Amino acid sequence: MNVKVFRETDFKDTELGPLPEEWQVVRLGEVATQRKRFITVKETVSYMRPTIKLRGQGMVLRDIVLGSSLKIKKQQVCRAHDLVVAEIDAKLGGFAVVPPSLDGAILSSHYFVFELHKEKIVPEFVSYLVKLPLLQRQVEARGSTNYASVRPSQVVNYLIPLPPLPEQRAIAYVLRTVQEAKRATERVIAALRDLKKSLMRHLFTYGPVPISDVGAQHAAPLQDTEIGPIPAHWQVVRLGDLVAKGDIWLKNGFAHGGHNQAKSGVPHLRPFNITNTGEITLAQVKYVPPPTDESSYWILPGDIIFNNTNSEELVGKTAYFGLDGKFVFSNHMTLIRVLSDDLNAYWLSKYFHWLWSQRVFQGLCRRHVNQASIGLERLQQVIIPLPPLPEQQEIARILRAVDGRIQAEETYARALDDLFKSLLHELMSGRLRVVPDSVAQSAVGTRHRLAPMLPTSSELFASPMVEETKDTG
């Protein structure tokens, strides 16, 4: 569908606020009829049971059960494109349009099912409309705060905006296009993360050689070690050996109970600031008074942050620190600083996070009540491979390339999410209008990627072995 987009300037006052002149305001009962179709479930038949996510976030499959397991044998049947209202959760945005995948699902009597009049209203348009707080506010305005307060007789009187049918279809098309672009981007991100896992297994076993060379006659020989097979020319060392030589410096952070989230002071990195994918996140930050300028608690670009205390499955998460600004770290974090020119910090950080993904630190940690920890003494017992510096740098370059692509896709996904939220409000209020069947450019204005491409093996293993960015150490 081609659509033309323009800003509306001609509004009329309505019960729902200013709306375009061509739009109507109607009660739900004018475009939907309650369906009360109950069946008696059969003992040997399996039934889909859905649940409605709050705040208009849709209907999803809850489970599939045999009729014999249901205590209440009388159940409602919902059809694709019906509007379903949760009796109890309507005040929390419990409205949803039934997706085709849940056609024929059963619902208890605590849900109200409405058949939409498709000659008046487009079901997909309604599925986006319920994402707004419009209906939820009308529930709240009627004082519906107890268990049985939302009744079908009230639901049919809720007001909604009603654009002409062609515009409803165009609005749904635009919003669907943005959502599909975001889902496609999320699939690319998932594929890149799987690629990265495979690459790390390959790189930390065979080194930075093309996958096609593994097993070839000219391939570098492997050696069996206590950490598994690695290239024969790599060394095996304990982290403590590197500390003793002065190649690495370790330090635990400091506890501070007087933290705040008002950005007073400096960020105090904690376990939740390292993601399960091995990156620093500032989605939640605690601030503490800054230490002195000479303090050893300041984090420097190129440092490695190791999570020394957490739940058993999370202890050992590791991230490379490459942020600008001043940061310190809590006592639940250990700073690993590379001091030698023969070590690459990015490579080492990725290897440590690889060990976490392989649950190595679960076997190494001390278990306490509801948490586990790895002290400096135990951390120094960790055994790592030590490739020559050029190979460390090449491994880092390859993983940086994948990390950079993942970050770019995540940024794009966030932009699409922001675009969807903005378009949802603009289109549903009529401030932004879309006219279908036009030869004008798409209203979405985003790139369409029908076949997102992942980096090829030849791209990742390109020569020469030179880092894109120089690391500290």
Side-chain angles (χ1 to χ4, degrees):
M1 178 187 291
N2 291 318
V3 295
K4 179 181 179 181
V5 60
F6 63 93
R7 281 283 174 190
E8 181 59 83
T9 58
D10 191 11
F11 293 95
K12 63 182 178 182
D13 291 330
T14 74
E15 302 95 317
L16 297 176
L19 289 175
E21 285 286 349
E22 302 94 328
W23 288 26
Q24 301 177 55
V25 173
V26 300
R27 300 186 186 280
L28 264 175
E30 297 178 53
V31 294
T33 302
Q34 186 181 11
R35 180 194 290 121
K36 298 180 181 179
R37 183 189 171 195
F38 284 82
I39 63 168
T40 301
V41 298
K42 298 179 180 179
E43 298 285 305
T44 58
V45 174
S46 295
Y47 296 92
M48 294 184 292
R49 291 197 301 178
T51 187
I52 293 181
K53 300 172 75 174
L54 301 182
R55 295 174 181 82
Q57 296 306 303
M59 176 183 281
V60 295
L61 179 66
R62 173 185 165 192
D63 55 22
I64 298 176
V65 296
L66 275 173
S68 58
S69 67
L70 295 171
K71 294 181 180 178
I72 300 175
K73 301 303 181 182
K74 292 289 185 181
Q75 297 282 331
Q76 294 185 89
V77 176
C78 62
R79 311 307 311 189
H81 311 306
D82 283 347
L83 172 65
V84 179
V85 181
E87 176 188 19
I88 302 168
D89 290 331
K91 59 184 176 291
L92 299 175
F95 298 84
V97 172
V98 180
S101 60
L102 292 175
D103 182 47
I106 59 172
L107 296 163
S108 75
S109 59
H110 294 301
Y111 293 90
F112 309 133
V113 180
F114 294 86
E115 181 179 2
L116 295 170
H117 302 166
K118 298 180 181 62
E119 72 280 4
K120 296 179 181 179
I121 196 163
V122 176
E124 189 179 13
F125 170 81
V126 179
S127 72
Y128 291 116
L129 182 67
V130 298
K131 292 182 181 296
L132 296 171
L134 174 68
L135 297 177
Q136 182 180 338
R137 286 173 182 164
Q138 294 181 66
V139 178
E140 294 168 350
R142 293 176 182 271
S144 302
T145 57
N146 56 40
Y147 175 83
S149 60
V150 179
R151 307 306 305 160
S153 59
Q154 295 173 317
V155 175
V156 296
N157 282 304
Y158 295 154
L159 299 175
I160 62 169
L162 189 68
L165 270 174
E167 189 168 357
Q168 293 179 42
R169 295 189 186 99
I171 289 172
Y173 165 76
V174 170
L175 295 173
R176 181 176 69 250
T177 301
V178 178
Q179 283 193 314
E180 288 174 349
K182 184 185 176 186
R183 284 193 288 267
T185 303
E186 289 169 344
R187 289 194 294 272
V188 173
I189 293 170
L192 284 167
R193 291 204 181 282
D194 287 343
L195 171 64
K196 182 180 174 181
K197 290 177 184 177
S198 298
L199 271 174
M200 291 175 81
R201 182 180 298 277
H202 171 84
L203 292 168
F204 295 138
T205 302
Y206 301 102
V209 298
I211 296 173
S212 58
D213 286 359
V214 174
Q217 289 186 350
H218 60 275
L222 299 180
Q223 59 175 319
D224 289 324
T225 71
E226 52 201 306
I227 57 174
I230 60 173
H233 62 286
W234 288 14
Q235 300 179 52
V236 176
V237 299
R238 294 185 185 276
L239 193 67
D241 297 337
L242 299 177
V243 172
K245 289 173 57 181
D247 292 343
I248 281 177
W249 179 66
L250 303 178
K251 184 177 180 64
N252 286 340
F254 63 95
H256 199 290
H259 58 80
N260 69 88
Q261 292 179 277
K263 299 186 177 180
S264 175
V266 294
H268 192 227
L269 297 189
R270 301 180 176 218
F272 50 70
N273 293 120
I274 297 182
T275 68
N276 288 2
T277 53
E279 287 98 27
I280 298 291
T281 174
L282 302 180
Q284 180 183 357
V285 181
K286 305 287 188 182
Y287 289 80
V288 299
T292 63
D293 290 343
E294 298 77 21
S295 172
S296 58
Y297 288 114
W298 293 110
I299 306 174
L300 302 179
D303 283 344
I304 301 166
I305 310 298
F306 176 87
N307 177 202
N308 64 51
T309 304
N310 209 321
S311 60
E312 185 178 329
E313 68 275 8
L314 294 179
V315 68
K317 292 185 301 178
T318 306
Y320 176 84
F321 184 85
L323 302 179
D324 295 326
K326 292 189 172 183
F327 294 79
V328 291
F329 55 108
S330 81
N331 58 313
H332 291 161
M333 314 294 265
T334 299
L335 183 145
I336 304 174
R337 181 170 293 164
V338 171
L339 302 175
S340 170
D341 290 337
D342 293 327
L343 286 174
N344 181 282
Y346 196 85
W347 163 81
L348 185 60
S349 72
K350 295 304 174 185
Y351 185 76
F352 261 73
H353 195 71
W354 167 251
L355 293 180
W356 172 79
S357 71
Q358 301 305 296
R359 301 184 178 181
V360 170
F361 297 122
Q362 270 190 263
L364 187 64
C365 65
R366 289 185 182 275
R367 291 160 182 82
H368 314 287
V369 178
N370 297 325
Q371 66 178 10
S373 65
I374 297 178
L376 291 178
E377 184 177 345
R378 287 200 170 204
L379 183 59
Q380 292 186 66
Q381 298 305 310
V382 173
I383 301 172
I384 64 171
L386 190 61
L389 179 62
E391 292 186 44
Q392 295 177 42
Q393 292 173 329
E394 178 63 359
I395 291 171
R397 184 196 68 79
I398 292 169
L399 295 177
R400 272 189 187 276
V402 180
D403 284 341
R405 178 67 183 275
I406 291 173
Q407 291 169 8
E409 295 295 336
E410 288 176 335
T411 299
Y412 181 56
R414 287 192 295 270
L416 286 172
D417 192 50
D418 291 341
L419 175 63
F420 176 82
K421 292 174 182 176
S422 175
L423 284 173
L424 180 65
H425 286 275
E426 292 287 293
L427 293 170
M428 289 299 183
S429 66
R431 291 193 293 268
L432 194 66
R433 304 287 301 278
V434 283
V435 179
D437 302 323
S438 167
V439 294
Q441 67 179 20
S442 170
V444 179
T446 57
R447 58 191 171 110
H448 292 261
R449 303 183 300 174
L450 299 179
M453 298 297 293
L454 300 180
T456 64
S457 175
S458 59
E459 289 172 336
L460 290 169
F461 290 94
S463 294
M465 295 195 298
V466 178
E467 281 190 290
E468 295 175 343
T469 305
K470 190 177 186 301
D471 295 322
T472 301

